Structure formats: C-alpha cells, structure tokens
Amino acid sequence: MPTFQTSPGMRDILPPESARWRRLHNIFADTVEAAGYGQVMTPLIEDIGVFTRIGDATDVVTKEMYDFHDKGDRHVSLRPELTASVCRAFAEHRPITPWKVWYAGPNFRYEKPQRGRFRQFDQVGVEVLGVDDADLDVEVIALAWEFYRALGLQQVNLIVNSLGEPEDRQAYVDALRSHFEAVGDGLTEQSRVTLAKNPLRVLDSKREPDAEHIASAPTIADFHSAEAAAHFAKVQAGLDALGIPFTVEPKLVRGLDYYRRTIFEFQGLTLDSAQNALGGGGRYDGLVEALGGPATAGIGFALGVDRTLLACDDEGVFESAPRVLDAFVVDVTGGAAAVELTAELRSAGLAADRGFENRSMKAQMKLANRSGATHAVIIGADELADGTAIVKPMSRDAGDQQTIPRSDVVAHLQQKTER
Ligand code: HAM
C-alpha cells in the first residue's frame, strides 16, 4: 500500500498543539473585538485577478501563486494573503464605513520551505476601510503590539516607515532606478531582474554584494510631500504617546506592491533574519479602487501565526496547555452507566471523557491517568448494585477516594473543580 505524507511546506497541527493555536486565535479575537472589529470570512479561493492586484512585481504574484483552472475553466487561486480578498468583499458588498474587520486563517504561497516559512501558513489580521486619519494607523499598530504583549512575547521590534503619497513614491522609485542603474553590474543578477520590474523591491535584497549599494541609495523621507510627512509625524507622535517603542527604518518597503504612506513590520529578535518578520502591514489607499470599488482609504496588518508561535517557543512563553478534564469515567459493568454519567457531567459543564470497549479496570485506569483528568469516577459491580460511584482524585496529594451516591457525583465534582 502506498503511504502518504503532507506536501512540502504543509503541516498537520495535532492536539495539544492545536489547542494552543485556538487559544492564540481567541486572544487575537478578544483583543480586536474589544476595539470594535468584527470578523470577516472570505473564501480560500478567488478569481486570480483579485490577487494580481497585489502587484505584478511581487514574488507572491509572479512565482508563488497556487493557481489553477477549475472545472468551469475559471482561472482561480488559493489566497496568498487576505487583504486583497477583504477589499474585494468591500467592493462587492459596499458596507458602511468605517468598516473595521478582523480575520484568521490559512494562506498559500509556493515558497521554499524552511523554519518559519511554509507553503500553507496561518495569519491573524485586521483591515479598516474608509478612514484616512493617522490616529487610526496608531490604533492598528497598537492592537498588534497589545496582542504580542498578551501572548507574553518581549523580544519584538517594531519598525515603521512611510512610502509617501503615490506621487512621492513614484518620484522615489525613479530616483532609486537611476541610482541602481548607475551601479550596473555591481548589483547581483537577481536584483538587476528585480530592478527592471520594481526598483523598490531591490531594497529587500539580503544578498551581500547588494548591501553597499542599498546603503548608499536615496531614502524615501527626502521625497515625502508636506502632507505625507505630517501624516507620518502624527503616527510617530501617537506611538510615543502610547509608549510603544519603534524605530524608523527608512529602507523598509515590505514585500507587497499595494502600500502607500505608513508601513510597519514586527521583527522577532529570536528568529533567523531571513524569516524574522512576525507580522506587518500598512496603508493601501487605492487597492479597493483597483478591485472595482470606490476610492477608499485602507490600512491593516497580518501577523504570521506559525512564526509567532516559533517566537513564543524561543522565549518560553505561551506554552501549549491541553484542556484539563474534570473527570474520566471508568465503568467495568458494560458501559451503560458510563453513557449516562458522562452525559450528565458534560451537560453540567464539566469536561468529561470515558473508557470504551468494556476494557479491564487496569486498562481503563491507565487511560484515565493518560487523559490528564483531575478525577476518575469508577463504577464497578458493587457500585452499580448500590447506585454509587467511587470518585478518585488522580494526583496523590489531592486526598483520598470516596464512595458517594451516583446522584451526587456531579455536585461533588462541581464543588471540587469550582465550576
Ligand atoms: P506579509 O508581510 O506578506 O503581509 O505577511 C504577513 C506575515 O505573514 C509575515 O510577517 C509572516 O509572519 C507571515 N508569512 C508570510 N509568508 C509566510 C510563509 N510563507 N510562511 C510563514 N509565515 C508567513 C501580508 O500578507 C499583508 N496582507 C499584510 C497586510 C494586511 N497589509 C495590510 N493589511
């Protein structure tokens, strides 16, 4: 028989690790819902055109798309990110603005798998459409910061930059092009290819021969219009006011083409530099229009869940903790008593599991131990006959076992577990 494994860059997340993922999603949801964001759920598959709006000079679009023709011969793709999908949804449904939404879920990019870089990876994020105010940039950045704090992460750097207004950006791109063209063969071949498509992207190169030419390249701040400079100054003042430490990184451009004005990235200091972006985002005024909607200001971020959890592992915070069971029912009288008692415990809000297949007392007690339950509730022949059950604390220092009427088991455990 053939055997199968997950495809490269894809992973199974098994319990108890999966419970940690859900806790992370819950913490994120709590953080952003407390700030007025509602969850948006968009399909995993969209028309390829939705994603080509991300920018045809980005690797995400040119090399990494999981695209195919469906049975109706539509050219579609698995989503490589959610911002374009959210803007497509906005253009389609025209909700009232400000539209503040959050999301969580998998994305797909055909990248070279390595630690912290997967082909299926999970993101949590927010997008806000219809608000052109630097205070919102501050709110959005602060939410991500608060989320990292809630997980217990400390070794996170926030870097920010502004790409200016579209005209500033264009003037800067032209200046960069002239600068890098003058360098000629001094750039690596890959960067020369990138230069032809989008000079900004050359700044992303981590290849050694490119480093000195990137260092001597012009910086965007010199091209900021008064309006863009004022917006960026207000963002920085807001972050200062909230006590959120940040560094202005004048060469930060981010890997997607839709950004204008404020951009930011969170770097995990414990991760390898090639994969140290825990999350990032920025303004993308213009993307909704590119997707057929009205001119709409937009800003948001996405945080990589896989990398965030790697950073948590490195820092020894937000550890995996399976849900503790309150009871494990051991019934060696055929199982009918366990059916009722387990259901009763569960409907009273207690977490309960049980043994099956009428296994021996020894085998079921082994399962009870392994389950991590705080108590075993045991029904043998005597207890069945008397209408009682033995409640046995599973940790040695939690007292002795007791035989009590079966009808008292729920109340007894509720008292013990304070549920
Ligand atoms: P991004 O920088 O492409 O931005 O991705 C955001 C985060 O997703 C990254 O910082 C990283 O943590 C994680 N990530 C990306 N690719 C991978 C991968 N192959 N494996 C593991 N993790 C990965 C966006 O996606 C934008 N949509 C963010 C945004 C929202 N901008 C405005 N709104």
Side-chain angles (χ1 to χ4, degrees):
M1 288 289 271
T3 56
F4 297 101
Q5 293 177 335
T6 50
S7 297
M10 311 227 167
R11 307 184 288 159
D12 299 313
I13 312 289
L14 309 180
E17 178 66 6
S18 50
R20 190 183 182 211
W21 282 59
R22 210 178 60 230
R23 261 170 52 231
L24 181 146
H25 282 162
N26 290 345
I27 289 176
F28 186 76
D30 289 347
T31 306
V32 296
E33 289 196 343
Y37 292 70
Q39 187 175 10
V40 61
M41 296 191 265
T42 62
L44 286 184
I45 292 176
E46 300 263 7
D47 187 296
I48 185 99
V50 171
F51 302 125
T52 50
R53 299 300 184 279
I54 294 170
D56 52 15
T58 66
D59 285 353
V60 170
V61 171
T62 54
K63 299 193 206 144
E64 298 167 1
M65 207 85 92
Y66 272 89
D67 65 314
F68 59 98
H69 286 83
D70 73 8
K71 291 192 191 339
D73 207 29
R74 294 173 202 90
H75 193 184
V76 295
S77 176
L78 294 180
R79 67 184 184 208
E81 58 116 52
L82 277 127
T83 309
S85 296
V86 170
C87 289
R88 192 267 314 136
F90 179 84
E92 185 171 336
H93 303 286
R94 306 285 169 104
I96 294 167
T97 57
W99 200 46
K100 298 173 85 174
V101 293
W102 69 271
Y103 50 74
N107 302 283
F108 303 84
R109 296 184 192 173
Y110 198 84
E111 299 201 69
K112 192 160 171 251
Q114 48 208 290
R115 187 178 194 254
R117 191 175 293 282
F118 305 98
R119 290 183 177 165
Q120 176 176 336
F121 60 95
D122 203 74
Q123 288 182 338
V124 291
V126 304
E127 311 292 348
V128 183
L129 292 167
V131 181
D132 184 8
D133 182 338
D135 286 349
L136 176 65
D137 305 24
V138 176
E139 168 175 305
V140 162
I141 295 171
L143 283 173
W145 188 255
E146 200 187 313
F147 169 69
Y148 290 131
R149 285 289 108 100
L151 295 180
L153 277 178
Q154 297 289 335
Q155 311 244 41
V156 180
N157 265 0
L158 165 61
I159 53 177
V160 298
N161 194 18
S162 169
L163 291 176
E165 302 293 334
E167 312 79 61
D168 312 343
R169 188 180 192 264
Q170 191 52 52
Y172 179 54
V173 168
D174 294 341
L176 274 182
R177 185 178 294 112
S178 308
H179 169 80
F180 287 126
E181 276 175 2
V183 170
D185 288 353
L187 282 185
T188 57
E189 199 191 325
Q190 290 108 309
S191 287
R192 274 180 276 138
V193 172
T194 311
L195 177 60
K197 293 192 202 156
N198 183 350
L200 275 181
R201 214 31 17 84
V202 177
L203 298 177
D204 273 345
S205 162
K206 300 228 159 71
R207 293 174 287 272
E208 185 50 39
D210 296 329
E212 59 170 306
H213 309 301
I214 291 173
S216 61
T219 51
I220 181 73
D222 296 334
F223 296 80
H224 282 161
S225 60
E227 205 188 345
H231 185 100
F232 194 35
K234 197 173 172 202
V235 173
Q236 295 180 56
L239 292 174
D240 280 337
L242 295 183
I244 297 175
F246 64 91
T247 311
V248 176
E249 175 50 66
K251 300 271 167 62
L252 175 67
V253 289
R254 307 247 323 116
L256 305 162
D257 278 349
Y258 48 57
Y259 292 113
R260 305 280 179 273
R261 296 195 277 174
T262 314
I263 52 173
F264 52 92
E265 207 158 271
F266 297 94
Q267 298 178 327
L269 302 181
T270 61
L271 301 177
D272 289 346
S273 67
Q275 275 86 237
N276 72 353
L278 291 178
R283 281 207 165 265
Y284 46 83
D285 311 342
L287 184 56
V288 172
E289 270 170 289
L291 286 158
T296 310
I299 181 169
F301 64 69
L303 314 178
V305 172
D306 308 74
R307 282 187 201 170
T308 299
L309 288 173
L310 281 176
C312 288
D313 290 341
D314 290 347
E315 288 197 39
V317 297
F318 194 65
E319 278 158 3
S320 163
R323 166 150 203 204
V324 177
L325 286 175
D326 301 309
F328 192 97
V329 178
V330 172
D331 174 2
V332 291
T333 68
V339 168
E340 278 177 36
L341 190 52
T342 312
E344 233 181 278
L345 288 162
R346 290 175 185 164
S347 57
L350 292 157
D353 197 3
R354 53 162 291 186
F356 290 98
E357 298 177 327
N358 203 23
R359 315 255 308 258
S360 69
M361 174 70 84
K362 192 171 162 208
Q364 290 197 50
M365 283 308 293
K366 208 164 152 190
L367 288 176
N369 257 316
R370 211 191 290 156
S371 76
T374 54
H375 296 83
V377 179
I378 306 163
I379 298 166
D382 291 350
E383 290 75 31
L384 185 70
D386 298 352
T388 58
I390 300 169
V391 178
K392 180 178 159 62
M394 297 303 280
S395 72
R396 269 192 205 108
D397 48 9
D400 295 331
Q401 66 179 48
Q402 283 175 273
T403 301
I404 61 174
R406 189 116 64 85
S407 54
D408 291 354
V409 169
V410 166
H412 181 86
L413 284 177
Q414 273 175 328
Q415 195 208 344
K416 292 258 179 200
T417 58
E418 287 172 6
R419 273 188 212 278

